[in-house]
Amino acid sequence: MQVVLLVIAFLVAAAPAVQGQDLPPFTDKYCRSDAYPPPANDTLPAFVLNLDLNPEDRWTELVKPKANEISFLIQDIKALIGLFINETIGQEIIDGLFAAVVETLPEPYSQEIKGIAYATNIPVGEIVMFNIFYEVSSFCTAIVAQDKNGDIYHARNMDFGIFLGWDTKTDTWIVTERLKPLLTNVEYQQGGKTVARGVHFAGYIGLLTGLKPGVVSLNINSRHKFEQSGFLGFIKWVLGQRTAHWTGFALRDAVLMATDFNSTVNHLSTVELLVPSYLIIGGTNPGEGAIVTRAQGTTSDDIKRLDPSKGEWFLVQTNYDNWKSTPFYDDRRDPAMKCMQNTTQANVGFNGIFNVLSTKPVLNVLSTFTALMHVKNGTLNAHLRYCPEPCYPW
């Protein structure tokens, strides 16, 4: 499977028709300096998740008006699955296997998924399928950086939908565009107080990007290791090996229970996970930035930390081990690093980092949103992204 994806990646990357036109090799002269502030109409809508409500009722107000959009996305995913397996068999798997999985999920997640299915009138198996989506594949770029005053800034591009249907009329990934209307800034409240903030796709209850004000910020990037793929992790779960945590659930739990940066890093370095991943973590004090490279299970292959005393005032993570070279067909890391150096530490902030994340190919056709986080102020600003032609397909 991995070899097939690499071959497809090469063919797509080599096709001028997909990219719009040939794009020149990257140099820092292409770094954006004019993208911030983003257009006001690209700011995500807001929703308050009241944790005092019963789990099955928490998401109703958000998902009920978006039932059609969620259903359209799920139908697109099912149609794409149908290209590889018989449509009838695929539907039986979703209605049978996926629906049964909901009963094995920890609380409150099992009840929240059931509540979403009820509110949208979408079969519970299809909502479960949507919620394992990230366990399988995504492509992202994350940056954590320290300014001259010791303040920590954390930001990420969420790139999602590769190989999930290419629209030749618009030169976009179908699933990528389906996801954008579902994006929402979510404020977690308990007892009338804000306890966390996150960015969600309506219908997806795990947390992939979020922060606890004054404590810590977190985001997760996929780590693509075929021998530890999300499919295999899901199969293990179905077969009864359920000691590991689903990715989005683990991150949501970590944000809500966080007390400080160091204990959060320690926790995320050892908690058992269903799939390999990169966990990017920011704090409130100088030096509090880290990338935890996770294997499946309880193993951490590496922990890389900010070290401004050695000139390492920022960290960049895409979807490849940061101690290895990036593949030739998907190098977002080097452009991001060049643009961060071009920005300089003196200009670290939402302005400078947003410009870096707006530079092609860091910004690409897969990009759904950019999130900007500042833990000390409790700020999380997320914005829809569109990549004007000519643009890379990832």
Side-chain angles (χ1 to χ4, degrees), residues 48-74:
V48 173
L49 181 69
N50 185 354
L51 297 178
D52 295 321
L53 293 176
N54 292 328
E56 60 268 28
D57 299 325
R58 291 173 181 172
W59 296 99
T60 298
E61 187 179 338
L62 173 64
V63 301
K64 196 169 185 177
K66 294 182 178 293
N68 286 339
E69 287 89 344
I70 297 171
S71 182
F72 291 150
L73 171 64
I74 291 172

Side-chain angles (χ1 to χ4, degrees), residues 50 61 146 151 229 237 308 327 333:
N50 185 354
E61 187 179 338
Q146 178 175 313
D151 266 4
S229 74
W237 184 278
R333 182 204 302 164

Side-chain angles (χ1 to χ4, degrees), residues 24-34 333-344 355-356 358-362:
F26 186 87
T27 67
D28 59 6
K29 73 178 182 179
Y30 297 110
C31 294
R32 291 287 300 275
S33 60
D34 59 348
R333 182 204 302 164
D334 290 332
M337 293 184 69
K338 286 180 180 178
C339 290
M340 283 300 293
Q341 293 287 4
N342 192 59
T343 298
T344 74
N355 282 326
V356 173
S358 301
T359 299
K360 303 172 188 178
V362 185

Side-chain angles (χ1 to χ4, degrees), residues 15 17 27 34 36-37 55 71 133 174 202 206 223 226 233 235-237 253 263 273 277 285 299 322 325 369 378 385:
T27 67
D34 59 348
Y36 191 86
S71 182
F133 209 29
I174 293 171
R223 188 185 186 198
F226 178 65
I235 291 171
K236 287 181 179 180
W237 184 278
D253 290 343
S263 65
L273 295 178
S277 57
N285 300 309
T299 303
N322 52 56
S325 299
F369 72 87
R385 300 314 308 269

